[in-house]
Amino acid sequence: MTTKPQLSFWQIWNMCFGFLGIQFGFALQNANVSRIFQTLGASVDEIPALWIAAPLTGLIVQPIVGYLSDRTWTGLGRRRPYFLVGAVLATLALCAMPNSPTLWIAAGLLWVLDASINISMEPFRAFVGDQLPTKQRASGFAMQSFFIGVGSVIASLLPWFLAQVGVGNTAGPGEVPDTVRYAFYFGGAVLMLSVGWTIVRTREYPPEVLRAHDTLQRAPQRTLDHARARRNGAVWLLLGAAGAYVVTHYNLDRQLYVLAGLAAGYGLALLVVTLMRRDSAFAHIISDMHDMPAEMRRLAVVQFFSWFALFGMWIYTTGAVTGVHYGTSDTGSALYNEGANWVGVLFAAYNGFAALAAVVIPWMVRRIGLRMSHLVNVWLGGLGLISFLFIRDPHWLLLSMVGVGFAWASILSLPYALLADSVPAEKMGVFMGIFNFFIVIPQLVAASLLGFLLKTFFGGQPIQALTIGAVSLFVAGLCVLRVQDPRAATVATSH
C-alpha cells in the first residue's frame, strides 16, 4: 500500500485528545506567569527577559526529541513514550510553580515547565503526520486546534471562575493568590489524565509500515560542508560578540543581549558540529536544518512573523489591559487583580473562538485552499490586536478576541498541514522539531527587542506591543502567498 487508510472521527479524536492537557498547561503559563513574576517583584521591563526560558527550552528540546522519536521503537510505540515522560514532568512543575517563594525560583520553574511540555508536544505534531493520509492531515491538525482551544478556554478562565465562587483572589506581598494556585493544581491533573488517554487509546505504525506508505521523493542528504560551516560559524560568532560590545559600550537595553546571544549561539553551533562525528545526533540535526525543503524555508518566514506577534500578545496583554482599561499598575490592588483576571477571560475567549474556528477551517481549506485560508485568518488576528488601541470598555475586547481566535487556530494547524506534505515520513519528527526553530527564534527576538522598542519609541506603553504584533500578522499573511499549496499542485498535475 502507498496510501495510509483513513481514520474515523473518533480515532482522530483519541489521537489528539492529549493536546487538551498540553494546552491546559500552556494556557495557565501564558495567562498567569507574567502575573506571578510581577507579584514576586519583577518590573514590566524585566518580564520579557524572564520569559526567555519558554522559547529557549523549545529551541533546544524540540529538535532533539524529534530526532530521538524518529529513531525510537518500544512496546509503547514511537512517539508515545515521550508523551508520557513529558506529561509526568510537566504535572510536577505545574504544582510547584505557584508556590515559588522567590522570583528566581519561579523563573527556573518556567524553564522546567516549558521543557517538560515541549517533550510531550513535539511528538504530537509528528504523530498526526505519521498516522494520517495527506487528505486528512488538515483535519487532524484542526482537531488538535480544537482541543487546544477547549483546554485553553477552561484553563484561562479558572482563576476568574474560582474568584467567583469565593476562592481568595488577593494575597499578601510576594504571595500568589489561591485562585492561581488551585488553577495550577487542577491543570496538572488534567494534563496527566488527557495525555494518558491518548497513550492508552491509540496505536502507532511501526517504522517499516511508515516507510512503505511514504511516497515522497527524497534526495539523499547532503553532507555538511565543514569548511563552509567553520567560515560561517566564525562570522556569526563575531557578529554576536560585536553586538554584545555595542550593547555594553552604548549602555543599551540589556535585553538586546539576547539578539547578540542568538547570533553567537548559531555561530558556536556551526563550529561545534565541525568537531563532531558526522553520524552524531547534533550533526544530523544541523545537516537536516541546512537541507530543509524549499517550502519549509518559505513557511519559516510565515512562522517568524506569526509567533513574534503571539509572543508579544502573551507577555504584554496583562500590562496593556490593567494599565489602559483598568488604569492601574499596582499589582497588590484589587483593581489590578480584577484586570489580570479579565485578561484570563480574554485569553479563554480567543481560545474558545479558536475551537470554533477549528471546525470552520477544514471547510475554508476546501473552498479557498490552505494558503488563502491562512492569509484570511492571520489578518483577522491582526485586526483583533490593533483594535485594542480603539476599544476602551474591557468587555468589548471580547470582540477583538474573535479575530485573534481565528488566527490562533490557523497558526496551530495550517502551517503544519503544509509542512507535513513536504517532508519524508522517516524524518517527520526531526523536521517538525527544526520547524519549531521558527516558532522559538521570533519569540526570543520579541523578548529581546520589544522592551527596547517600547521604551525607545512608545514611552514604555505595553499596549503598543499589541500594535506591533498586528503589523507582524499582516506581514505573515502576505508571506504565506509565497508558499505552494501541495493540494493545489496535485490537482493541477492530475489535470
Side-chain angles (χ1 to χ4, degrees):
M1 294 177 64
T2 57
T3 303
K4 298 188 185 87
Q6 294 200 27
L7 301 188
S8 70
F9 173 86
W10 290 111
Q11 286 175 309
I12 298 175
W13 174 283
N14 288 335
M15 68 185 288
C16 296
F17 189 73
F19 245 106
L20 175 73
I22 289 174
Q23 194 57 32
F24 220 97
F26 264 133
L28 287 170
Q29 171 183 302
N30 292 340
N32 295 284
V33 165
S34 289
R35 178 182 185 176
I36 291 172
F37 286 161
Q38 285 187 280
T39 299
L40 294 173
S43 68
V44 172
D45 292 340
E46 293 173 323
I47 287 176
L50 292 167
W51 267 91
I52 285 172
L56 192 58
T57 51
L59 183 70
I60 297 168
V61 169
Q62 289 216 19
I64 294 173
V65 170
Y67 174 86
L68 293 174
S69 68
D70 282 342
R71 289 158 174 76
T72 295
W73 185 253
T74 69
L76 198 56
R78 188 186 196 192
R79 314 292 182 186
R80 288 178 297 167
Y82 298 91
F83 299 169
L84 179 60
V85 171
V88 171
L89 295 175
T91 297
L92 295 174
L94 281 169
C95 293
M97 170 69 82
N99 295 301
S100 302
T102 62
L103 181 60
W104 71 268
I105 290 177
L109 281 171
L110 179 60
W111 285 80
V112 176
L113 175 60
D114 206 85
S116 303
I117 293 175
N118 272 289
I119 290 171
S120 283
M121 186 183 72
E122 196 286 331
F124 260 100
R125 300 292 191 194
F127 194 47
V128 171
D130 289 345
Q131 303 301 108
L132 292 176
T134 297
K135 289 182 179 180
Q136 285 191 302
R137 281 173 177 166
S139 296
F141 288 116
M143 181 71 81
Q144 285 189 351
S145 294
F146 171 78
F147 281 121
I148 287 169
V150 172
S152 296
V153 167
I154 301 171
S156 299
L157 278 174
L158 266 181
W160 174 85
F161 174 77
L162 291 171
Q164 303 309 303
V165 298
V167 178
N169 192 43
T170 57
E175 294 183 5
V176 175
D178 284 343
T179 49
V180 176
R181 184 175 286 109
Y182 294 151
F184 272 62
Y185 297 161
F186 185 73
V190 171
L191 192 153
M192 191 69 244
L193 291 172
S194 62
V195 172
W197 177 272
T198 289
I199 291 171
V200 171
R201 301 291 294 178
T202 57
R203 57 96 179 95
E204 295 188 66
Y205 291 118
E208 60 273 12
V209 175
L210 284 175
R211 284 193 292 270
H213 284 312
D214 189 13
T215 58
L216 190 65
Q217 294 295 317
R218 299 187 300 278
Q221 179 173 307
R222 291 172 294 176
T223 302
L224 187 68
D225 184 338
H226 280 198
R228 184 177 179 183
R230 278 191 290 270
R231 290 195 302 272
N232 291 341
V235 170
W236 281 103
L237 192 59
L238 287 173
L239 282 174
Y245 171 79
V246 169
V247 173
T248 302
H249 183 74
Y250 292 101
N251 197 28
L252 300 177
D253 191 320
R254 61 184 180 179
Q255 293 174 26
L256 293 173
Y257 283 120
V258 178
L259 284 179
L262 275 174
Y266 179 58
L268 186 62
L270 289 176
L271 293 175
V272 168
V273 79
T274 63
L275 304 175
M276 302 179 72
R277 299 194 325 271
R278 294 179 185 270
D279 62 347
S280 67
F282 186 63
H284 275 289
I285 291 170
I286 296 295
S287 295
D288 285 331
M289 184 176 69
H290 281 262
D291 253 359
M292 286 188 297
E295 294 308 304
M296 185 172 171
R297 294 178 185 275
R298 297 187 181 103
L299 279 168
V301 179
V302 177
Q303 292 292 81
F304 179 91
F305 287 105
S306 300
W307 286 88
F308 185 94
L310 291 172
F311 195 72
M313 179 187 74
W314 290 332
I315 64 177
Y316 281 108
T317 298
T318 297
V321 171
T322 55
V324 172
H325 300 88
Y326 284 82
T328 182
S329 59
D330 179 6
T331 60
S333 68
L335 193 60
Y336 174 89
N337 283 286
E338 181 184 346
N341 278 356
W342 185 247
V343 171
V345 175
L346 293 176
F347 280 20
Y350 88 71
N351 281 287
F353 292 129
L356 297 175
V359 177
V360 176
I361 283 174
W363 175 84
M364 292 180 67
V365 170
R366 289 192 295 270
R367 299 289 295 178
I368 60 175
L370 286 165
R371 293 187 311 164
M372 290 305 299
S373 296
H374 196 54
L375 181 148
V376 169
N377 290 329
V378 295
W379 278 15
L380 286 173
L383 292 173
L385 288 183
I386 208 166
S387 69
F388 273 69
L389 281 176
F390 308 104
I391 294 173
R392 284 297 175 262
D393 184 341
H395 295 90
W396 277 102
L397 293 176
L398 289 169
L399 184 61
S400 306
M401 295 295 100
V402 175
V404 174
F406 269 80
W408 179 231
S410 194
I411 290 166
L412 291 172
S413 56
L414 298 191
Y416 294 97
L418 285 162
L419 177 65
D421 294 333
S422 305
V423 299
E426 65 185 19
K427 290 190 173 183
M428 187 72 69
V430 71
F431 274 123
M432 287 288 183
I434 291 170
F435 197 49
N436 189 62
F437 287 169
F438 308 105
I439 295 173
V440 171
I441 291 171
Q443 293 181 57
L444 291 171
V445 172
S448 175
L449 197 57
L450 278 174
F452 171 76
L453 292 176
L454 293 183
K455 283 197 297 186
T456 305
F457 301 107
F458 299 106
Q461 300 176 47
I463 198 168
Q464 296 300 334
L466 305 185
T467 305
I468 296 170
V471 173
S472 190
L473 286 175
F474 293 142
V475 174
L478 292 175
C479 290
V480 80
L481 295 176
R482 299 179 59 244
V483 181
Q484 182 175 331
D485 187 335
R487 290 161 178 77
T490 302
V491 171
T493 303
S494 65
H495 284 77

